Amino acid sequence: MLRIARLVTDSKDNFRIIKSFKNKIRDSMNIEYKEFFQNTLKENNFEKNTRELQNKIKARRNQRIAHMIRNVDEDELRNSTIYLRDLFHLRDQLNLLLSQLSFGTTRLMLPLAYSDRVEHPVGVDSRTDIERILDQITFESELINLAEACPIMWEARKKKLEQRDVEEINRYRAKRGLPDA
């Protein structure tokens, strides 16, 4: 989370920060290409598409990861909750931006074995290592298995969850071969 925060939310003039990298490219271009470059960046609009998530990341970094602020209220914590799907969205937006900053040259963002361009043999698990690890952690989690382990507790817990959270739980349950809870 600290690395993500540094990459996308920091404002220092550092080449390893995506905004600085983008600005250095723009500032180094010949004047006749700058307008086209700006228009290309506007098509993606990385800032607009990720602003809310960047704010969440910055808040979470400041409240819980870097500074461990103790008296953050429940709403503030909920508003800075970052879901895995949020990180996937950010990854996709960063890849799109990097593609634009690469001026049409192809960049392989993952090891070749993880690329969606590679056709894996039938029966081969083509998920990335991190997907396998996260799935395993999820499959063993109390929450995913609570409906079977303790139906009464599940019903009480489910009432406190938002609909999107229940949908996310059911998505992982389906991956595990379990019915919707």
Side-chain angles (χ1 to χ4, degrees), residues 53-81:
L53 181 54
Q54 285 186 49
N55 291 338
K56 282 181 168 184
I57 289 169
K58 197 170 200 169
R60 180 56 60 145
R61 177 213 176 270
N62 292 342
Q63 294 166 355
R64 285 295 194 219
I65 298 171
H67 303 295
M68 291 298 291
I69 297 172
R70 300 268 186 233
N71 296 326
V72 177
D73 67 35
E74 189 77 23
D75 285 337
E76 202 171 346
L77 274 177
R78 190 175 297 114
N79 290 336
S80 69
T81 299

Side-chain angles (χ1 to χ4, degrees), residues 49-165:
N49 292 335
T50 62
R51 184 174 296 119
E52 183 179 336
L53 181 54
Q54 285 186 49
N55 291 338
K56 282 181 168 184
I57 289 169
K58 197 170 200 169
R60 180 56 60 145
R61 177 213 176 270
N62 292 342
Q63 294 166 355
R64 285 295 194 219
I65 298 171
H67 303 295
M68 291 298 291
I69 297 172
R70 300 268 186 233
N71 296 326
V72 177
D73 67 35
E74 189 77 23
D75 285 337
E76 202 171 346
L77 274 177
R78 190 175 297 114
N79 290 336
S80 69
T81 299
I82 301 161
Y83 296 93
L84 196 53
R85 67 178 168 266
D86 296 330
L87 296 177
F88 287 152
H89 172 71
L90 182 60
R91 175 207 59 201
D92 294 343
Q93 290 297 310
L94 281 165
N95 285 341
L96 184 57
L97 179 58
L98 188 57
S99 177
Q100 289 175 319
L101 296 175
S102 300
F103 302 100
T105 58
T106 301
R107 297 273 184 245
L108 193 58
M109 304 296 183
L110 295 170
L112 189 58
Y114 298 157
S115 173
D116 58 0
R117 297 177 188 171
V118 172
E119 230 176 276
H120 297 278
V122 175
V124 171
D125 188 354
S126 61
R127 294 175 300 159
T128 62
D129 294 337
I130 191 66
E131 286 175 300
R132 288 182 197 152
I133 291 167
L134 291 173
D135 281 351
Q136 190 60 39
I137 291 168
T138 305
F139 294 161
E140 293 176 5
S141 78
E142 182 180 314
L143 187 58
I144 295 297
N145 299 295
L146 191 58
E148 287 76 25
C150 189
I152 294 170
M153 282 181 67
W154 167 247
E155 288 304 320
R157 180 74 186 264
K158 185 177 177 180
K159 289 176 184 174
K160 294 179 181 179
L161 294 171
E162 292 184 22
Q163 181 60 33
R164 71 174 188 218
D165 295 330

